[in-house]
Amino acid sequence: MPIKLSIWLSPKSETAYEFELDLGEIIVGRGEDCHVRLPFSFISNHHFTLVAEGGSYLVVDNGSTNATILNGKRLAAFAYTPLKSGDLLAAGEIVIQVTPLESVTHSFSIEENSEEVRKMVWETLQNRGAGGNASIEVTSGPQRGFRFRIGEDLTRVVVGSTPGCHITLEESDCTAEHMEFLHTGRGFVARPLLEGLTYIDGKALLAPTPLGHEARILIGATKLRFLDPLQHYLAELAHLPELNGSDEPTDDVLSTQQIDTVSYDEVGEAPLEFGPPDRPPVPTQPRFMPEDTDHSGTIVRPKLDKKWGRFETTILIVTLVVVFGGLVALLMLFEGW
């Protein structure tokens, strides 16, 4: 059954990422194998799943750490719940609106999802003031310290010795148009314009080669370094531990998404926040309470049972010996009188 998922990264975000899918099962989560990938550390690898059944969809939370919210109510883990048009799902501050479709013009593949993932990460880095644009830095030679920032709308960067190139190098082994960086939407690729004269991380650049964050480039005696904050973010995300089935909530250490602690019953209602005027109210995601808090958010400190330890026993014995010795000494003193 065709379905459209409209995703906002926060209740205040005005940018919606839309996915049109026609699958029997749609996995949403942080993992690279998800049909809809949400690249944030507070999202579990397989956070929740949408399952087609009888002309509609069911949603099931896959035992996620930070829970799934449906229209303001927290879903019980591994319980299937029917969805209807306009329903709002929330995970952390991310909001997903569900809209059934009669047909889809183009169903997103997992490969195409990676393009949307980079856009989400770019928006997150922009919101935190870190900047998400890739750049190329000259680290040796006459242009040492020069940095070229690659804008999101720039798909091709040429390196050469002529002034018309984006990056002009004063290098005897650099030809007029030596090599180029291509922005594919899923990342960056280095392509030689003359084979055998460029090295990437110590290997000759003979064909189009994907670039990693902090890739080292050598042209003659001139060294360059490629920096991609988006790829660095995703690489750090891939090394985070699995969240499904964990007992403790996990803070987002990679983005500025904030999960506020709110009061809620075991399966209760979360307060609503209103987004832009043209959007429905957005449920705020509650976090699981740590074990030392009750459901109202009040800290509950366990009562400590005071036990008589070895140290206390030793002090008592020493005290008794000193007191007894003092009494004996006084008795002997009086008898001497």
Side-chain angles (χ1 to χ4, degrees):
M1 175 185 172
I3 192 173
K4 180 174 74 172
L5 301 179
S6 302
I7 301 174
W8 292 269
L9 299 189
S10 74
K12 297 180 180 179
S13 176
E14 296 184 0
T15 301
Y17 299 88
E18 296 187 343
F19 295 80
E20 294 186 0
L21 301 160
D22 189 1
L23 301 170
E25 183 178 273
I26 301 171
I27 301 174
V28 180
R30 194 184 74 200
E32 295 182 10
D33 59 339
C34 293
H35 300 96
V36 177
R37 188 183 181 198
L38 303 176
F40 303 99
S41 61
F42 56 81
I43 299 294
S44 295
N45 282 14
H46 291 171
H47 201 97
F48 65 84
T49 302
L50 304 179
V51 181
E53 182 176 283
S56 62
Y57 273 92
L58 306 175
V59 59
V60 55
D61 180 89
N62 298 320
S64 64
T65 300
N66 290 316
T68 303
I69 304 300
L70 173 60
N71 297 328
K73 294 185 177 181
R74 173 172 166 254
L75 296 177
F78 306 112
Y80 289 81
T81 304
L83 290 175
K84 62 182 182 298
S85 180
D87 276 350
L88 291 175
L89 294 164
E93 284 201 345
I94 293 179
V95 179
I96 304 174
Q97 188 172 44
V98 179
T99 307
L101 300 174
E102 294 184 359
S103 63
V104 295
T105 56
H106 177 72
S107 185
F108 267 78
S109 64
I110 292 180
E111 290 75 16
E112 291 171 315
N113 187 22
S114 62
E115 297 183 18
E116 296 302 301
V117 165
R118 286 185 63 90
K119 293 178 183 177
M120 292 182 191
V121 175
W122 188 85
E123 180 183 340
T124 298
L125 294 178
Q126 290 293 110
N127 290 340
R128 88 194 267 192
N133 291 338
S135 62
I136 303 164
E137 180 182 11
V138 181
T139 58
S140 72
Q143 285 88 18
R144 180 179 179 180
F146 172 79
R147 176 176 290 189
F148 183 84
R149 298 188 182 277
I150 305 174
E152 282 298 298
D153 57 343
L154 190 60
T155 59
R156 181 174 183 258
V157 176
V158 179
V159 179
S161 59
T162 58
C165 297
H166 297 93
I167 300 176
T168 304
L169 298 180
E170 298 176 11
E171 168 62 52
S172 59
D173 291 331
C174 183
T175 58
E177 290 191 354
H178 195 88
M179 65 165 295
E180 62 184 0
F181 297 90
L182 302 176
H183 188 189
T184 65
R186 304 174 194 173
F188 287 85
V189 172
R191 190 172 78 90
L193 299 179
L194 286 176
E195 295 182 358
L197 299 177
T198 304
Y199 293 84
I200 304 290
D201 293 329
K203 296 181 180 180
L205 182 63
L206 304 176
T209 302
L211 286 171
H213 177 64
E214 293 192 336
R216 307 288 175 167
I217 304 152
L218 181 64
I219 300 175
T222 302
K223 298 178 182 179
L224 302 93
R225 182 174 62 166
F226 173 78
L227 302 172
D228 186 356
L230 273 65
Q231 190 177 72
H232 177 61
Y233 177 104
L234 293 172
E236 292 290 324
L237 195 70
H239 287 90
L240 291 178
E242 167 68 55
L243 291 188
N244 292 77
S246 173
D247 293 328
E248 292 295 330
T250 300
D251 292 331
D252 179 15
V253 296
L254 297 176
S255 78
T256 54
Q257 306 279 359
Q258 299 296 324
I259 310 175
D260 296 327
T261 302
V262 298
S263 302
Y264 67 100
D265 296 327
E266 185 62 27
V267 183
E269 294 190 357
L272 297 178
E273 289 186 2
F274 288 86
D278 58 340
R279 286 180 36 209
V282 175
T284 299
Q285 163 73 35
R287 288 179 60 172
F288 284 123
M289 297 294 182
E291 293 181 357
D292 60 348
T293 63
D294 59 18
H295 289 298
S296 67
T298 303
I299 296 177
V300 179
R301 304 206 179 275
K303 296 181 180 179
L304 299 178
D305 295 330
K306 186 65 176 178
K307 296 182 179 180
W308 196 266
R310 182 179 300 176
F311 177 77
E312 289 83 355
T313 303
T314 303
I315 293 298
L316 177 61
I317 293 173
V318 172
T319 302
L320 291 175
V321 170
V322 171
V323 172
F324 181 75
L327 291 174
V328 171
L330 287 173
L331 182 60
M332 293 176 65
L333 183 62
F334 281 121
E335 287 181 354
W337 281 95

PDB file of all heavy atoms in Angstrom, residues 20 28 103 118 176 227 243 252:
ATOM      1  N   GLU A  20       7.991   8.809  -0.210  1.00  0.00           N
ATOM      2  CA  GLU A  20       6.868   8.045  -0.752  1.00  0.00           C
ATOM      3  C   GLU A  20       7.324   6.607  -0.938  1.00  0.00           C
ATOM      4  O   GLU A  20       8.294   6.336  -1.640  1.00  0.00           O
ATOM      5  CB  GLU A  20       6.382   8.650  -2.071  1.00  0.00           C
ATOM      6  CG  GLU A  20       5.772  10.042  -1.916  1.00  0.00           C
ATOM      7  CD  GLU A  20       5.174  10.571  -3.208  1.00  0.00           C
ATOM      8  OE1 GLU A  20       5.242   9.840  -4.237  1.00  0.00           O
ATOM      9  OE2 GLU A  20       4.647  11.692  -3.202  1.00  0.00           O
ATOM     10  N   VAL A  28      12.029   2.158  10.158  1.00  0.00           N
ATOM     11  CA  VAL A  28      12.483   3.521  10.414  1.00  0.00           C
ATOM     12  C   VAL A  28      13.447   3.485  11.603  1.00  0.00           C
ATOM     13  O   VAL A  28      13.122   2.911  12.649  1.00  0.00           O
ATOM     14  CB  VAL A  28      11.305   4.455  10.735  1.00  0.00           C
ATOM     15  CG1 VAL A  28      11.795   5.878  11.008  1.00  0.00           C
ATOM     16  CG2 VAL A  28      10.294   4.456   9.583  1.00  0.00           C
ATOM     17  N   SER A 103      -1.298   6.095  -5.114  1.00  0.00           N
ATOM     18  CA  SER A 103      -0.166   5.579  -5.883  1.00  0.00           C
ATOM     19  C   SER A 103       1.042   6.448  -5.601  1.00  0.00           C
ATOM     20  O   SER A 103       0.914   7.546  -5.052  1.00  0.00           O
ATOM     21  CB  SER A 103      -0.467   5.574  -7.394  1.00  0.00           C
ATOM     22  OG  SER A 103      -0.683   6.911  -7.847  1.00  0.00           O
ATOM     23  N   ARG A 118      21.995  13.060   4.280  1.00  0.00           N
ATOM     24  CA  ARG A 118      22.986  14.140   4.263  1.00  0.00           C
ATOM     25  C   ARG A 118      22.308  15.494   4.419  1.00  0.00           C
ATOM     26  O   ARG A 118      22.836  16.397   5.070  1.00  0.00           O
ATOM     27  CB  ARG A 118      23.811  14.098   2.975  1.00  0.00           C
ATOM     28  CG  ARG A 118      24.832  12.974   2.934  1.00  0.00           C
ATOM     29  CD  ARG A 118      25.701  13.058   1.684  1.00  0.00           C
ATOM     30  NE  ARG A 118      26.503  14.270   1.640  1.00  0.00           N
ATOM     31  CZ  ARG A 118      27.731  14.376   2.142  1.00  0.00           C
ATOM     32  NH1 ARG A 118      28.296  13.350   2.741  1.00  0.00           N
ATOM     33  NH2 ARG A 118      28.403  15.518   2.031  1.00  0.00           N
ATOM     34  N   ALA A 176      47.007  22.087 -16.370  1.00  0.00           N
ATOM     35  CA  ALA A 176      46.020  23.169 -16.467  1.00  0.00           C
ATOM     36  C   ALA A 176      44.720  22.804 -15.740  1.00  0.00           C
ATOM     37  O   ALA A 176      44.193  23.574 -14.953  1.00  0.00           O
ATOM     38  CB  ALA A 176      45.746  23.495 -17.927  1.00  0.00           C
ATOM     39  N   LEU A 227      37.971  17.839   3.789  1.00  0.00           N
ATOM     40  CA  LEU A 227      37.200  17.791   5.033  1.00  0.00           C
ATOM     41  C   LEU A 227      35.710  17.771   4.717  1.00  0.00           C
ATOM     42  O   LEU A 227      35.226  18.610   3.957  1.00  0.00           O
ATOM     43  CB  LEU A 227      37.529  19.003   5.920  1.00  0.00           C
ATOM     44  CG  LEU A 227      39.006  19.167   6.319  1.00  0.00           C
ATOM     45  CD1 LEU A 227      39.213  20.506   7.016  1.00  0.00           C
ATOM     46  CD2 LEU A 227      39.441  18.024   7.215  1.00  0.00           C
ATOM     47  N   LEU A 243      20.968   0.769  20.358  1.00  0.00           N
ATOM     48  CA  LEU A 243      20.098   1.308  21.406  1.00  0.00           C
ATOM     49  C   LEU A 243      18.908   0.416  21.717  1.00  0.00           C
ATOM     50  O   LEU A 243      18.362   0.465  22.798  1.00  0.00           O
ATOM     51  CB  LEU A 243      19.585   2.699  20.994  1.00  0.00           C
ATOM     52  CG  LEU A 243      20.613   3.822  20.958  1.00  0.00           C
ATOM     53  CD1 LEU A 243      19.908   5.143  20.731  1.00  0.00           C
ATOM     54  CD2 LEU A 243      21.419   3.874  22.237  1.00  0.00           C
ATOM     55  N   ASP A 252      21.582  12.766  22.941  1.00  0.00           N
ATOM     56  CA  ASP A 252      22.131  12.999  21.613  1.00  0.00           C
ATOM     57  C   ASP A 252      23.415  13.797  21.747  1.00  0.00           C
ATOM     58  O   ASP A 252      23.393  14.965  22.081  1.00  0.00           O
ATOM     59  CB  ASP A 252      21.110  13.776  20.769  1.00  0.00           C
ATOM     60  CG  ASP A 252      21.626  14.069  19.385  1.00  0.00           C
ATOM     61  OD1 ASP A 252      22.623  13.446  19.000  1.00  0.00           O
ATOM     62  OD2 ASP A 252      21.032  14.919  18.714  1.00  0.00           O
TER      63      ASP A 252
END
